[in-house]
Structures are given as C-alpha cells and as structure tokens.
Amino acid sequence: MITTRSNTTSNKIQPPPNVYISNDVTDEGLNDSLPSPYLRSPIDGSFQSYNLAESSYIKPHKNLTFSYVPYFNTLQHGTLGRSDSFLMGTLHLNYEKYQQVKSIDLNFKGYERTSWTKTQGRTKFVYSGEHIIANKHYRIWSSPTKDETEILNLDVPFKVRLPYDLPDTLKTHLGEVYYSLRAIVNLKGSLISSTHTVEIHCPLKRTLVLDSDNSKLYKFHGESESITYTFVLPPAKNVNIGVYISIPMRIRFLRPGISIERIELAIKTNMKFRCNTNNTCKVSKRSGEAIIPRQELQYLNPIINNVKGDCIKTISFWIPRETLPTYYGRYITISHVLCIKIILLGIERTVHIEESINIANIQKSFDVELPPPPAPPRFLNPKAFSLYLTTCGDRINYLVQNSIDSDSISFEDRDVEAAAAIVTQLYQSHIKKRTQSLSDEISSPYLYDG
C-alpha cells in the first residue's frame, strides 16, 4: 500500500465551513472543549458561590481561603500556551484575634509524576518518576510599614503571570501532570510557627491557537490492490476535543465487482510512562469509534463494466470530551492515531489506514467577520442572547415578503416589530462587551506581579 500526504486548499473535496472548531452554543452542549469560565450568564442575575470547593484544597487552613474572580470558576485567565496568561483570584485572611503579618507570598508549582508496580512471584517492584515543571514565587502583599501590621480580616486580590508553554493538567492511572498554588502568610517570629499556609489544586487548560498560516487542510492519499483513497483532515492534523469533526473522503475502485461493506473509524491513544530507572510501561486504548454502513455511502458515477464509480462521503466523527491531549514530557508521552478500516464487499480483503494526529484544545486567532444582527425573535428573551447568530423571526419575514397591509397585522405581530429595535441594540451591546479584553473587564484592584 502506498500513501502520500500533503496540505491542500483544493475545492474537490472540501468540508463545510467551521467543522473543525465549533462552539458550545451552536452545538447545544455537544462541544465542551472550550467551556465558558462564567459560572452563570450575567443576564440571569443569579450566580453560584465564588469560593473554591472543599475538594480543591490540598492543605486547608481554618483562617485562610481562596475565592475566584466574580462570575468565574477558574483561577486561570488568558490563553495558556505561548501568550500571556495569569492566575487571578482573592486570598482571604480571617483570624479570631489580631496577627502581626509581615508579608504574603504565593508559590505556584507544577509536577509531572508517574508510578506503577510489577509483581514477580512474591516480590513487588514499584517504579516511579517525578519532574518539577514549574516553580514560581510571587509576593502579593507587604506590610506598609517597616514593622509588622496587625491584621484581623484582610482580602488580598492577586494577578500573577504564568510561565509560558505549560502543559495541560492531565491524569491517568499510571501518571499525571498537576499544579498547586500555595499561599504563605509570614508572621512575626514566634515559638509556635512563623508562617501560616494553605495549598490548593490549580488545574490549567492549554490552548493551541491557530492563525491564518495554519488554515490549510491536510490531505493524504493511498493505494492498495483494489482501491485508491483520499481523506481530508483538519489543518496540520490538529483535532479539537469534545467536537464533531468532518472528514471528507473519496474512494475509487480499481477492480470490477467490488464495493464497500462498511467503514470503521477509531482513535487509538498510545501512552508511554517512564521512571527514574529508565524502565517503561506502555498502554494503548481505543476511543471515539464510529461505523459507516454501506447504506450511507454515495457513488458519483453509475456502474460501468461492473466497476462502481467513486465513493464519496463526509464522515462526521465525534472526539470524546475525556480524550487526553497530545503530550510529550520527560516521563509521560501521549500520542494519538486515527485508525480507518475499509471493509470491502466482493473480495476478502480489508484496507487498514493509520494517520497520526495532534489532539488539543484549539482556538482560532485570525479575524472572523461578525454576523449581522439576528432577526427579531417571536418572544423577547434576553437570556437567549449570545455572541452567535440565531435563526428566528420567520413570521416577520413572511409578512414582509407577502406585503401584508399594516392594518391587518395582529397585536402580536406589532409587538414583534417593536421588539426588533430593542433586540438589535441589545445584540450590538452584547457583542461589544464580549469582545472586550479580559484586562479591561477585570483590572483594578487585582495586583500584578510579572
């Protein structure tokens, strides 16, 4: 079998627009690869608590707690990758009696860790490895005087820059990548303890930002004794998590009496774990399987000389939300392969195709023209507004197209027409707010430590 690969902008096999990077609004919850950090929509008026859950604390302290920035449920702000991203939140000090505090520090730490066991007879061997990915210290508060400051209750907002190129938080049964954030309250020296500390889990999500230079589709070809095939993958073979991706294909038959029984797709995840003694442990699993029966296949041309015409199909393939991102670390390696199996009818032969792919949380950076304001909805519902265009206003369109006299329009129709101006204003205002940068939304009083 011969396979060739290339980037392409050909229009012969072209997927529909926006099939590789979807959004969690238009997909109605199917895509949660890039969930909104908001706890609830501000339009709703009701919000959850901003305090971290008890399960988020590694080492709790009865007088020290963390909370999120209002309306968010994560400490991470900004796109983690090669651009600026920050940890933002508030540290709360609540003492029963006054404490003499000199300063308050944060320690952000990241770990890559593996551990597994092997049994030989009655002997059990434990293999492990640990690597510190990041270790950053930040001072977020100091006493305004040379001496200590007596504090009973104090809220300290903070904004600290994260290191570049940090990997995602990930967890498997043999290894994990995780982060922690520790707050250290430095007190006046005493015989008991000169510091109070609290430590929490700090999960991070890395985002791969695609620019216009990486927007070309990836095409690969192959040939066997019976067929030739062409498949089109997302740009640079980058696949988003928790979305449906479209994979256009074309198959040509080289021999008479052959057709396709079915096509099977799956993602194979290969994980390799290492330890300090250079021992390794390999694990493979399959996920996201899909089967396309012959009833769903289409043929371009009629049968000529008992040879079927080209078979075409745009496969809609779901990438599960629990799929781990591609990762290459010191002790952990996670890679993915797209496995395609073509089962032929009329010949006892199956064509196996494997193509490596990169799975990540993906975001576009090139400009997209904003859609026009949506048509007025039947009922004015501010909770339904979003950044994305919705389809509504069918009745108004019908009235306009059929030139119905204004006197014949019912009271309900007049309400819809009157609401159109309000809807347009709210939509434009919502667009303006959603496109503001995070720094504009949340600036002072959060302290910044670069």
Side-chain angles (χ1 to χ4, degrees):
M1 184 186 300
I2 303 173
T3 303
T4 60
R5 300 164 174 82
S6 65
N7 291 324
T8 180
T9 56
S10 173
N11 293 324
K12 294 182 180 180
I13 303 181
Q14 191 73 13
N18 300 326
V19 293
Y20 301 123
I21 305 174
S22 304
N23 59 74
D24 55 350
V25 176
T26 55
D27 287 347
E28 297 182 356
L30 289 178
N31 172 18
D32 64 351
S33 61
L34 294 173
S36 170
Y38 289 102
L39 292 172
R40 293 290 297 274
S41 171
I43 298 177
D44 203 48
S46 60
F47 301 94
Q48 299 175 4
S49 172
Y50 310 137
N51 296 322
L52 274 69
E54 292 184 6
S55 58
S56 299
Y57 287 86
I58 301 173
K59 182 182 178 181
H61 191 285
K62 65 177 183 178
N63 302 118
L64 306 176
T65 57
F66 281 96
S67 68
Y68 299 117
V69 171
Y71 311 140
F72 284 78
N73 62 357
T74 175
L75 294 177
Q76 176 190 337
H77 292 261
T79 302
L80 179 63
R82 298 189 176 183
S83 59
D84 290 342
S85 56
F86 304 90
L87 292 180
M88 296 176 62
T90 303
L91 176 67
H92 305 277
L93 283 67
N94 296 285
Y95 290 105
E96 297 177 356
K97 60 180 181 179
Y98 282 96
Q99 300 287 331
Q100 294 183 330
V101 180
K102 295 188 295 184
S103 60
I104 302 175
D105 299 328
L106 291 179
N107 177 217
F108 170 77
K109 215 165 186 179
Y111 302 86
E112 179 187 37
R113 181 177 294 171
T114 58
S115 179
W116 70 91
T117 60
K118 287 185 179 180
T119 304
Q120 293 182 358
R122 297 183 178 181
T123 305
K124 180 182 291 186
F125 298 92
V126 178
Y127 302 92
S128 62
E130 182 175 302
H131 168 55
I132 296 178
I133 300 173
N135 188 9
K136 293 279 290 182
H137 294 267
Y138 312 92
R139 174 146 296 181
I140 60 174
W141 186 88
S142 296
S143 175
T145 63
K146 294 182 179 181
D147 299 327
E148 297 80 5
T149 301
E150 289 191 344
I151 290 177
L152 186 64
N153 298 296
L154 179 65
D155 297 332
V156 185
F158 59 86
K159 177 182 179 181
V160 296
R161 188 193 303 272
L162 286 168
Y164 294 112
D165 287 331
L166 292 177
D168 290 89
T169 297
L170 57 90
K171 185 177 180 62
T172 70
H173 65 289
L174 297 181
E176 61 180 338
V177 174
Y178 70 96
Y179 301 93
S180 67
L181 182 65
R182 186 162 58 105
I184 306 104
V185 179
N186 300 302
L187 307 174
K188 182 180 180 180
S190 64
L191 298 176
I192 302 175
S193 175
S194 59
T195 61
H196 291 164
T197 62
V198 59
E199 188 172 6
I200 59 173
H201 293 286
C202 186
L204 300 181
K205 174 182 281 189
R206 179 184 174 90
T207 302
L208 174 63
V209 179
L210 296 182
D211 53 29
S212 56
D213 295 335
N214 297 322
S215 61
K216 293 182 179 179
L217 302 176
Y218 184 87
K219 178 190 291 186
F220 66 95
H221 316 269
E223 181 177 348
S224 68
E225 297 178 356
S226 306
I227 63 171
T228 61
Y229 56 84
T230 300
F231 288 86
V232 178
L233 295 179
K237 299 190 291 184
N238 291 316
V239 176
N240 208 349
I241 299 176
V243 301
Y244 279 97
I245 65 169
S246 292
I247 306 176
M249 70 161 206
R250 182 192 293 259
I251 296 177
R252 176 165 295 176
F253 301 95
L254 304 179
R255 298 172 57 179
I258 298 177
S259 61
I260 297 177
E261 173 65 24
R262 67 182 183 276
I263 300 175
E264 300 178 0
L265 288 86
I267 293 178
K268 182 170 67 174
T269 301
N270 299 315
M271 295 179 284
K272 185 176 182 181
F273 303 92
R274 293 171 286 275
C275 66
N276 295 325
T277 57
N278 295 326
N279 293 79
T280 60
C281 181
K282 297 180 180 180
V283 178
S284 295
K285 67 175 185 178
R286 297 169 69 91
S287 61
E289 298 181 343
I291 298 177
I292 297 90
R294 59 181 177 178
Q295 293 83 357
E296 297 182 8
L297 302 176
Q298 301 175 350
Y299 295 90
L300 275 180
N301 303 314
I303 297 176
I304 300 176
N305 297 328
N306 205 27
V307 177
K308 281 185 174 293
D310 291 358
C311 174
I312 60 172
K313 174 70 176 177
T314 297
I315 302 171
S316 183
F317 188 54
W318 170 250
I319 307 300
R321 300 182 180 94
E322 63 273 12
T323 303
L324 295 172
T326 302
Y327 174 66
Y328 296 93
R330 177 178 295 185
Y331 292 108
I332 302 174
T333 299
I334 300 175
S335 59
H336 302 86
V337 176
L338 177 63
C339 302
I340 304 174
K341 183 188 296 185
I342 304 175
I343 294 91
L344 300 176
L345 192 64
I347 181 174
E348 295 183 359
R349 186 177 295 275
T350 300
V351 180
H352 296 270
I353 306 167
E354 291 191 353
E355 187 71 25
S356 62
I357 58 176
N358 178 57
I359 294 183
N361 299 298
I362 298 177
Q363 177 182 329
K364 287 183 179 178
S365 66
F366 40 94
D367 295 334
V368 179
E369 184 179 357
L370 290 175
R378 296 181 185 276
F379 302 100
L380 183 59
N381 181 11
K383 296 181 182 180
F385 290 127
S386 71
L387 181 62
Y388 306 97
L389 185 62
T390 57
T391 57
C392 50
D394 297 335
R395 190 166 186 180
I396 284 294
N397 293 334
Y398 174 82
L399 295 173
V400 173
Q401 293 172 3
N402 292 274
S403 301
I404 298 178
D405 185 76
S406 59
D407 294 336
S408 64
I409 298 178
S410 67
F411 179 75
E412 178 185 352
D413 297 325
R414 291 181 185 274
D415 288 344
V416 174
E417 282 189 315
I422 300 176
V423 172
T424 301
Q425 293 177 2
L426 287 174
Y427 177 80
Q428 295 292 356
S429 176
H430 188 62
I431 289 289
K432 185 177 180 180
K433 291 180 180 179
R434 287 289 295 271
T435 53
Q436 285 180 342
S437 65
L438 180 62
S439 60
D440 292 335
E441 293 180 5
I442 306 169
S443 54
S444 178
Y446 290 89
L447 303 179
Y448 169 71
D449 188 337

